[in-house]
Each structure stands twice: as C-alpha cells, then as structure tokens.
Amino acid sequence: MHNPSVFRSMHRERFGADPAIFVAPGRVNLIGEHTDYAEGFVMPAAINFATLAGISPRTDGKIAIYSENYGEEKTFDAAALPAKGNKHWSDYPMGVVSILKGEGHKIPAFSLSIWSDVPLASGLSSSAALEVATAIAVMDLIGATYPGPVLARLCQRAENEFVGANCGIMDQFISVNGKENHALLLDCRDLSYKLAPIPDHVALVIANTMVKHSVAGGDYPTRRRESEAACAVIASHRPGVPFLRDATLEDLEKWGHEMEPKSRMRAKHVISEDLRTVAACEALLKGDMKELGRLMAEAHRSYSRDFEGSCVEADAMVELAQDLPGLIGTRLTGGGFGGCTVNLVEQSEAAKFAEALGVRYAARTGITPQIHICHASGGAHRLE
Ligand code: ADP
Ligand code: MG
C-alpha cells in the first residue's frame, strides 16, 4: 500500500471524510551510538521506509485513531485526554496530542489513520516516524507551526513523558529534518546540525539480525548508568564535565582507575565514538568513503568490546559482510543487543551483497534475516 491513494480511500471508507496526508520517515544511524544522552554527536540518515498519517476533522467530540498495521481502532474523548500512556501502540500518537495540549493548543475532535512500512520495533525508529507523522498532521489541523528542532523535541517529550521510554532526540530529529541523499551530523547538545552528502553510487543496506536480547537489569538503562557513573568520577576532578561529551581520553587515562572497570570501558566507547562521529562526517564531506568505512569498523569494535552492546548474531552479521564485494563499511546500528547492522555498499553490488549476506547469516545462525536496500530520503512533509 505504498500508494497514498489507497491509503486515502481506506481513510475515507472508515471515517467518511477525505484526509490530509502526511509522511514521516524511519532512520538508520550511520555512526554515533549511545552518544546522544551524553550530549554528543550522532550521524543518522532518514530512509525510504515511512509512516503515513491521514487526518480529518470530526464533529462528535471524539478522537479516533486507526492503525492499519495492527488493524485496530481506538477512540478517545477530545475533552478528557488521558494524562499517561497505557502500554498500547496508541500511546505514541496520543502522547503527541497530549504534549501539544500541554503547549496550550486546544485539541479538537479528529480521525487519524496510520500506516507504516517501517519495520516495527526493529531499530529503524517506527516510533519516531509515528510521532512525527502524527504531530505534523495534528498541527496542520489546528494551524500550529514549529521550527524543525522544536518539533523534534516535542515528539521526543511525547515518548519520554507519555509513553515512558527514555529515548534521546536523534530519531525524532532526523525524521523531521532528514534530507534526500544526505546524512545528518547532529550535535545533541544544542541541536545544531550539518548535512553531508551520501554519494549516489552508495546504498544503505540494512540487515536485521531478527534477534533482540536483553541483559540483566535492562540493557539500555544499565549501559546509560554505567557511562554516567564514569562521567561523575571525571566531574569530581574536573567540574566542567557534566556529560561525557565534555570528557577526553586523557581524563580517562588520569582517573579511569577510580572507576568500576565496566564503567571505564563504557566511557571509553562514548568518548571515542564522539570523535569518530565528527571524523565520519568530515570523511563524507570529502567523499572519502574508505576512511568512513574504517571509522565504522572501529566504531563496531568499540561498541562490541568496550560497550558490550553487541551480541553473537550482530557480530556475525558484521563479520560475514567483511569480504563481500562492494562493502564500504558495516556496523551494528541502534540501541544494541541485536537489531540491525547498517552496511554502506556500492550500489552496483547492493543486490548481490544483500543476497550473499542473507545466505551466509542463515547458514551461520539458522535465522533467516530481513535485508533491505535503502537510500537516504527527505524528512517529514505533507503529501499533496
Ligand atoms: P522502533 O522505534 O525501533 O521501531 P520502538 O519499540 O521504539 O521500536 O517502537 C515500536 C512501537 O511503536 C510499536 O511496538 C508500536 O507500539 C508503535 N508503532 C510504530 N509504528 C506503528 C504503527 N504504524 N501503528 C501502530 N503502532 C506503531
Ligand atoms: Mg523507537
């Protein structure tokens, strides 16, 4: 159903009104993992998988939300919105509505249809795509406008405060501000950013390991706590270091012995990853794909060994790609412990690469992976 006219008819049949349609993309992070909450750098690209949101006004005081992916409709009272999420997919769009209300907007009754081809819960950020598509649809209905970075922040707050997921700003930011054929270097401290062109002979091949492990005590929060504990040790000597963004590898040399060994390793990853991410953007700007590939390899090693954020399957997916023709760079992308690898591959080799990688991975692990050949696309917008 990539065809918006099919989506339009679906909305019309269900809700009896013609919708305005908005689209917001998923994303893949090329480099910069677990740096966002340390106020560091990330470099994602929006991809050509996206979420559509169709919206039309209602006169019965209700907010009705239908997800084609779940085949389910939920109804709310526009005058009595829930204050918190309910562990349901509708939390994401309702979180956005709730945040907009908190910003002082009067929320009218409306019907909202959702459809997405971003694989759900696979690390390609279907959640941010849903938030951003909903936000621009509702904003259009109520006549609100926000600059891109502010809109991204509102959607992040919906996920943090309403859904209850402690995510950084990257996903929402790139879904709003992505640009066709470009990666985006984002400074998570002040939300300033720089676009770097991805040459058109390069494809983004995303390989889903189909596994998601969790470590004792919760994976993402555990790693976050460990790296923040290292930062606190540095800050006790050098108060100008509220976040690892402000720390250096020399700080780690000097005071690393005061840290828990695991904390020190996590911090080493985060501090060095910031340097690699900035360098990766410079490499892209110069068109130096070889250097970019080298930085991605180093990033994966650091993520796997120092951060211990990888897993057997993801390490296998990276290893098995190494000698395939056309590979420029490969690494595990996203929060870790499974999910997808991102592979920069010569476009002319991409189809063969994807096929061969799938065969090798299945032979090694017994799991059939999903492999997508993507390109960097533009940010969220209205479809005419
Ligand atoms: P990711 O963002 O990596 O895809 P998350 O766990 O952050 O994974 O978000 C996935 C969740 O977002 C889904 O489980 C679902 O609740 C919600 N979601 C995303 N897209 C849709 C959709 N098209 N329809 C309904 N819910 C969706
Ligand atoms: Mg998400």
Side-chain angles (χ1 to χ4, degrees), residues 195-214:
L195 291 161
I198 300 176
D200 57 10
H201 61 89
V202 176
L204 306 178
V205 180
I206 298 169
N208 192 340
T209 62
M210 315 302 281
V211 302
K212 186 76 197 162
H213 300 290
S214 66

Side-chain angles (χ1 to χ4, degrees), residues 4 35 61-62 175 258 262 274 285 306 308 341 345 361 368 377:
T35 45
K62 302 277 183 226
S175 185
E258 294 178 25
K262 294 278 183 205
D274 268 335
L285 286 169
D306 291 332
E308 295 181 293
T341 66
V345 180
Y361 182 77
T368 304
S377 20

Side-chain angles (χ1 to χ4, degrees), residues 27 51 66-70 88-90 92-93 114-130 159 165 171:
R27 63 96 188 97
T51 297
Y66 172 71
S67 164
E68 172 70 11
N69 296 78
Y70 286 95
H88 188 262
W89 61 262
S90 59
Y92 295 86
I114 300 294
W115 171 86
S116 188
D117 66 355
V118 183
L120 268 53
S122 299
L124 302 180
S125 207
S126 68
S127 61
L130 175 52
E159 191 152 341
D171 301 354

Side-chain angles (χ1 to χ4, degrees), residues 114-310:
I114 300 294
W115 171 86
S116 188
D117 66 355
V118 183
L120 268 53
S122 299
L124 302 180
S125 207
S126 68
S127 61
L130 175 52
E131 290 149 13
V132 172
T134 301
I136 59 176
V138 175
M139 281 160 56
D140 184 77
L141 187 71
I142 64 181
T145 52
Y146 287 103
V150 178
L151 170 57
R153 191 63 92 187
L154 293 175
C155 291
Q156 180 200 13
R157 282 182 49 209
E159 191 152 341
N160 292 165
E161 297 169 21
F162 193 92
V163 177
N166 198 7
C167 63
I169 184 77
M170 168 168 69
D171 301 354
Q172 294 80 7
F173 198 94
I174 186 68
S175 185
V176 172
N177 299 297
K179 186 166 177 221
E180 183 94 32
N181 300 324
H182 285 73
L184 184 155
L185 176 74
L186 174 64
D187 182 337
C188 297
R189 168 152 287 166
D190 61 8
L191 302 190
S192 59
Y193 67 96
K194 205 190 268 182
L195 291 161
I198 300 176
D200 57 10
H201 61 89
V202 176
L204 306 178
V205 180
I206 298 169
N208 192 340
T209 62
M210 315 302 281
V211 302
K212 186 76 197 162
H213 300 290
S214 66
V215 301
D219 37 30
Y220 182 96
T222 308
R223 290 299 183 275
R224 187 168 173 162
R225 246 191 332 272
E226 288 166 341
S227 60
E228 286 171 353
C231 189
V233 170
I234 298 172
S236 72
H237 296 282
R238 209 155 72 72
V241 184
F243 292 93
L244 282 179
R245 152 71 179 272
D246 307 293
T248 63
L249 292 169
E250 293 82 71
D251 291 332
L252 218 50
E253 290 284 303
K254 269 199 222 159
W255 299 303
H257 64 277
E258 294 178 25
M259 300 167 188
E260 292 286 333
K262 294 278 183 205
S263 271
R264 180 184 181 158
M265 286 159 65
R266 309 311 180 228
K268 185 176 165 211
H269 166 76
V270 174
I271 297 169
S272 62
E273 185 82 346
D274 268 335
L275 299 171
R276 281 188 292 273
T277 303
V278 172
C281 181
E282 279 162 19
L284 251 190
L285 286 169
K286 279 194 241 147
D288 188 346
M289 302 312 282
K290 200 166 163 221
E291 173 64 1
L292 180 60
R294 191 190 67 74
L295 289 161
M296 288 173 75
E298 208 176 287
H300 184 76
R301 261 195 309 277
S302 169
Y303 200 17
S304 181
R305 292 183 196 167
D306 291 332
F307 204 75
E308 295 181 293
S310 188

Side-chain angles (χ1 to χ4, degrees), residues 28-31 43-45 47 182-183 196-199 201-207 280 283-284 288-297 321-322 324-331 341-350 353 357 372-376:
V28 67
N29 191 20
L30 302 185
I31 191 164
M43 191 168 70
I47 54 175
H182 285 73
I198 300 176
H201 61 89
V202 176
L204 306 178
V205 180
I206 298 169
L284 251 190
D288 188 346
M289 302 312 282
K290 200 166 163 221
E291 173 64 1
L292 180 60
R294 191 190 67 74
L295 289 161
M296 288 173 75
Q322 294 303 330
L324 288 176
L327 180 74
I328 295 163
T330 178
R331 54 177 285 279
T341 66
V342 57
N343 302 265
L344 298 193
V345 180
E346 290 297 340
Q347 185 71 59
S348 56
E349 300 283 348
F353 175 94
L357 183 59
H372 313 283
I373 301 176
C374 297
H375 60 262

